[in-house]
Amino acid sequence: MATVGALLLVVAALLALTSTGVALVAPDRSRTGSTAALGGAVLALWFAVAVLTRALVVEDLGLVYVAEQTRAGTGWTRRLTGLWSGAEGSLLLFATMLVTGLLAGHDRAPRWQQAGCGLLTAGLVGASAIGAPPFTRLDPVPTTGQGMAPILEHGAMLIHPPLLYTGFALALTPALVRDRRAAHRLGLIALAVLTAALAIGASWAYVELGWGG
């Protein structure tokens, strides 16, 4: 499955570059192919996230990332939070959610904006695949993982990071939506989600570290 995950990242990067190329060279009426290519990249990224999620839930210790973020005896929800408890998993998830947000209004965006979305996607995927690869194999395979840092084993860990990533992704979409009312509504939703995420994070920090106490 690690090979499949790594291959999906390559596919996502190639589709993102294809989206940029189509946006730059295709006639205005034929630029729907740029959106289709970016949509394919988003799909490949979500499949890669699913592959890593499965590896964490079933404790596939053959992956370096899984061995670092899980340990025997923890419940599946705790293992699930391993997806965003380390740099490799959180970067993959954040990039995927961000690129999903880029799809909003992409088909009606100007040529330069479509090309920029493709380049940004390729850059994010490259950072994940090269700078913080989540699908590196471990040999020999250990009998147990080391688990995430104790401070991360808190109930807020299940909600705070993905909610924060969602807010960041939503904050991008108003720039791509050409209808001003829709952009305003999306901006308000992003603000609400980010506020909720920061409030949960502040409560978590207060409980764990006593910040502000």
Side-chain angles (χ1 to χ4, degrees):
M1 294 301 286
T3 304
V4 173
L7 181 61
L8 284 167
L9 294 182
V10 173
V11 170
L14 291 175
L15 285 170
L17 292 174
T18 300
S19 176
T20 296
V22 172
L24 291 174
V25 304
D28 287 345
R29 294 182 179 179
S30 302
R31 282 190 287 127
T32 53
S34 176
T35 302
L38 188 66
V42 169
L43 192 62
L45 284 171
W46 278 114
F47 274 120
V49 169
V51 169
L52 186 58
T53 301
R54 179 189 177 278
L56 286 161
V57 172
V58 303
E59 290 186 273
D60 179 6
L61 298 177
L63 286 182
V64 173
Y65 185 75
V66 175
E68 290 176 346
Q69 303 301 323
T70 64
R71 66 170 176 266
T74 58
W76 72 269
T77 54
R78 185 66 55 79
R79 295 196 297 272
L80 178 63
T81 60
L83 181 61
W84 49 81
S85 64
E88 295 86 349
S90 59
L91 179 58
L92 174 61
L93 179 63
F94 178 60
T96 302
M97 297 177 76
L98 207 62
V99 174
T100 302
L102 291 178
L103 273 176
H106 184 272
D107 58 335
R108 295 180 297 277
R111 183 186 299 272
W112 66 269
Q113 208 167 38
Q114 287 186 338
C117 287
L119 286 176
L120 177 59
T121 300
L124 288 169
V125 175
S128 177
I130 300 171
F135 299 107
T136 304
R137 296 297 304 177
L138 187 60
D139 188 29
V141 178
T143 56
T144 185
Q146 68 182 37
M148 66 183 72
I151 197 173
L152 299 180
E153 296 183 354
H154 185 277
M157 185 64 180
L158 191 62
I159 305 170
H160 169 66
L163 196 62
L164 194 64
Y165 297 164
T166 301
F168 284 138
L170 287 171
L172 267 183
T173 54
L176 297 169
V177 177
R178 305 188 77 177
D179 183 271
R180 295 183 65 180
R181 290 185 178 181
H184 180 69
R185 286 195 297 269
L186 286 168
L188 289 176
I189 292 171
L191 178 62
V193 172
L194 284 170
T195 300
L198 290 172
I200 293 170
S203 174
W204 178 11
Y206 181 85
V207 170
E208 291 290 337
L209 301 174
W211 292 353

